[in-house]
Amino acid sequence: MSKHPWLNSYPSFVPKTTEINYENIVEIYNQSIKKFGPNTAFKNMDVSITYNDVSRNVDALVWYLQNKTDLKKGDKIALQMPNLLQYPIVIFAALKMGLVIVNTNPLYTADEMLHQYKDSGAKAIIILENFAHNLEKILSKTEIKTVITTTIGDMLGGLKGAITNLVVRKVKKMVPNYNLPNALELKKILKESFGKIGTEVDLKKDDTAFLQYTGGTTGVSKGAELTHGNLCANVSQVEAWIGSNIKEGEETIITALPLYHIFALTANCLTFFRYGSKNILITNPRDMPKFCTDLKKNPFSAITGVNTLFIGLMNQEVFRSLDFSNLKLALGGGMAVQDVVADQWEKLTGCALLEAYGLSETSPAATINPYDGTHRRGTIGLPLPNTEIKIFDDNLKEVKQGEPGEIGIKGPQVMKGYWNRKEETEKCMHNSFFLTGDIGTMDEDGFFRIVDRKKEMILVSGFNVYPNDVEKAIAENPKVLEVGVRGEKNEDGTEFVRAFIVKKDNSLTEEEVIEFCRTKLTNYKVPKNISFRDELPKSNVGKILRRLLK
């Protein structure tokens, strides 16, 4: 068997290796501004801005930060907001200045913010006013000197922006009182600096672009240090993978995942910006009726999401009645895409739901299913060009083909390391392979499957049970909307399987689920207990958080 069997499974248009086409992210940005200037770049809440609009605002912000603050290349800047028109503007401005972006989940508590800002040594922050009250509580304990606030209505235009802010502040009362006396306003900065252009900064591949904090599911949240080279490599790898299937200046992509998440950041914000696409930013995808209204107004050709997002959409009548004739790419990641969900999606839209795999530490894409109809449902696809994957046992020896073990990834998209955590970095590296903590297998054609997270495996009577297997089986029951599975301990310390289910049909009973599982699973994998819930705890991108299932 060949050392890299996946190369034989590559579509004919995908090269075995690819050049990294850019020195830094600003090169990608500049190329797109020049090429697609008058095209719509981003649209949010029915307001559109062109590539030229993005450029003018980016230039104004760069000039201000260079001339009116003491920020310099290499300093850390925290960004904390949902998907709004100003988000990509502040991302590109920070990168142009050579700052290191610390993306922050807006829903973080003050304590979680404090950990991230102290750990990163952030010197500046651009924050949506809705979350400024939390910043006030911790600001004095950080190194942050420059605070810039923004509002939901900032980029929506005069009357619309004013009305939006009025409703958000006074009617919905979504902005708790805060007192940050030295804070600057993004809207004023952009207005006062309009037309000015900052000084160009020399950026190399090895310069850090992002500190992308991992969710902290296995302990304290760590900052994965991603360089300009890491992200440029990933954009180049994805370019090679999709070939000419994505047309420059013609696509409309739906960005429902938040841009502070690595999946949306690289796939939607960077890669589709490089293609001159129109990017529809969804501020609150949990408001499904409003989300579907946006989808109806914007016939889209591409969408990225997680399994729960695709389930949520398919349960909306409005979504089911949409015209999907333009749709050519649906990409699922962030968590396992269940076979039943991929099957329903393809039947409804006529477009395959391709599963991909990656992590914050890999910028993120490591594997993607082929884009030529040879994709395999239930797999995470094939390693991207210039990417090598091995499966290791507990002694870090490579396992035989088909056997499960820990996935190790080697490639130009793998992070520099965890910020200020040398030991943690060394622990997760083995001969330049990043050890993911995910258990997987490889078939003879080089397609990989995720079995589950190593730390979430359940040991039942000496047998390994992976929650993914059980969740996948239960999800096939048409009365189930969502399911999460975890291991729990009996009084004697032995483990058993418990399933947490959100019903689609209220008639579903515990006995019915257990009987259904018996037709799909070996006896020791069948859940001993079923708990019904109105909703399941999810991460910022909609990934079910098993550790919070209680």
Side-chain angles (χ1 to χ4, degrees), residues 183-240:
L184 307 158
E185 291 177 24
L186 181 66
K187 191 176 180 181
K188 278 187 185 168
I189 289 172
L190 295 177
K191 194 176 174 184
E192 287 166 17
S193 311
F194 197 76
K196 293 179 174 161
I197 295 174
T199 315
E200 208 153 296
V201 175
D202 183 37
L203 292 167
K204 300 279 190 282
K205 280 183 180 174
D206 285 342
D207 287 331
T208 302
F210 292 89
L211 282 189
Q212 200 67 20
Y213 276 76
T214 60
T217 49
T218 55
V220 71
S221 181
K222 304 183 287 285
E225 201 173 347
L226 302 178
T227 64
H228 280 266
N230 291 149
L231 287 139
C232 288
N234 216 218
V235 171
S236 299
Q237 289 167 314
V238 172
E239 271 181 50

Side-chain angles (χ1 to χ4, degrees), residues 509-525:
T509 63
E510 185 174 349
E511 293 72 29
E512 202 178 333
V513 174
I514 289 169
E515 278 310 307
F516 184 81
C517 286
R518 287 196 174 120
T519 67
K520 304 269 179 189
L521 297 164
T522 317
N523 196 37
Y524 63 84
K525 293 183 183 178

Side-chain angles (χ1 to χ4, degrees), residues 357-359 405-408 435-440 450 452-454:
Y357 169 72
L359 307 97
E406 184 171 4
I407 296 172
L435 302 172
T436 62
D438 286 318
I439 301 293
I450 293 287
D452 224 312
R453 287 294 294 166
K454 198 173 180 180

Side-chain angles (χ1 to χ4, degrees), residues 149-308:
T149 60
T150 185
T151 73
I152 287 178
D154 266 358
M155 302 287 297
L156 301 180
L159 188 60
K160 178 162 184 157
I163 291 169
T164 300
N165 285 340
L166 183 73
V167 170
V168 167
R169 290 167 180 163
K170 304 294 182 194
V171 180
K172 295 189 176 175
K173 298 195 180 341
M174 290 167 66
V175 183
N177 289 333
Y178 67 90
N179 180 32
L180 294 167
N182 299 319
L184 307 158
E185 291 177 24
L186 181 66
K187 191 176 180 181
K188 278 187 185 168
I189 289 172
L190 295 177
K191 194 176 174 184
E192 287 166 17
S193 311
F194 197 76
K196 293 179 174 161
I197 295 174
T199 315
E200 208 153 296
V201 175
D202 183 37
L203 292 167
K204 300 279 190 282
K205 280 183 180 174
D206 285 342
D207 287 331
T208 302
F210 292 89
L211 282 189
Q212 200 67 20
Y213 276 76
T214 60
T217 49
T218 55
V220 71
S221 181
K222 304 183 287 285
E225 201 173 347
L226 302 178
T227 64
H228 280 266
N230 291 149
L231 287 139
C232 288
N234 216 218
V235 171
S236 299
Q237 289 167 314
V238 172
E239 271 181 50
W241 196 253
I242 54 185
S244 58
N245 292 291
I246 295 295
K247 306 289 182 209
E248 287 195 354
E250 291 180 20
E251 310 298 347
T252 298
I253 183 161
I254 302 299
T255 301
L257 297 180
L259 291 176
Y260 54 82
H261 189 272
I262 190 65
F263 185 7
L265 177 69
T266 305
N268 299 52
C269 188
L270 300 183
T271 305
F272 275 84
F273 194 85
R274 171 259 173 268
Y275 278 97
S277 310
K278 180 197 288 186
N279 209 311
I280 312 297
L281 299 177
I282 306 298
T283 305
N284 180 16
R286 286 189 173 89
D287 183 349
M288 279 282 168
K290 170 76 176 70
F291 181 9
C292 289
T293 305
D294 279 334
L295 294 178
K296 195 171 186 177
K297 288 179 190 168
N298 298 288
F300 55 100
S301 55
I303 183 170
T304 57
V306 294
N307 192 70
T308 49

Side-chain angles (χ1 to χ4, degrees), residues 61-62 64-65 69 71-81 87 89-104 116-117 120-127 143-148 186 189 208-213:
L61 185 53
V62 169
Y64 184 92
L65 294 174
T69 74
L71 291 170
K72 58 189 187 306
K73 181 185 173 182
D75 284 345
K76 317 292 187 302
I77 183 167
L79 306 181
Q80 190 166 8
M81 66 191 84
Y87 204 162
I89 287 166
V90 299
I91 286 175
F92 288 124
L95 292 171
K96 265 196 116 165
M97 253 196 83
L99 299 176
V100 177
I101 294 172
V102 181
N103 275 319
T104 308
Q116 200 159 305
Y117 299 154
S120 64
K123 296 216 173 127
I125 185 168
I126 302 180
I127 187 168
E143 293 175 48
I144 293 171
K145 293 289 175 277
T146 303
V147 175
I148 300 172
L186 181 66
I189 289 172
T208 302
F210 292 89
L211 282 189
Q212 200 67 20
Y213 276 76

Side-chain angles (χ1 to χ4, degrees), residues 217 452-458 465-467 487 546-547:
T217 49
D452 224 312
R453 287 294 294 166
K454 198 173 180 180
K455 287 185 165 62
E456 291 179 342
M457 186 185 79
I458 308 162
V465 177
Y466 294 101
R546 292 175 182 149
R547 71 183 189 281

Side-chain angles (χ1 to χ4, degrees), residues 364-384:
T367 68
I368 305 182
N369 261 285
Y371 195 14
D372 65 344
T374 61
H375 58 280
R376 290 192 189 170
R377 192 164 292 163
T379 77
I380 53 171
L382 306 163
L384 286 167

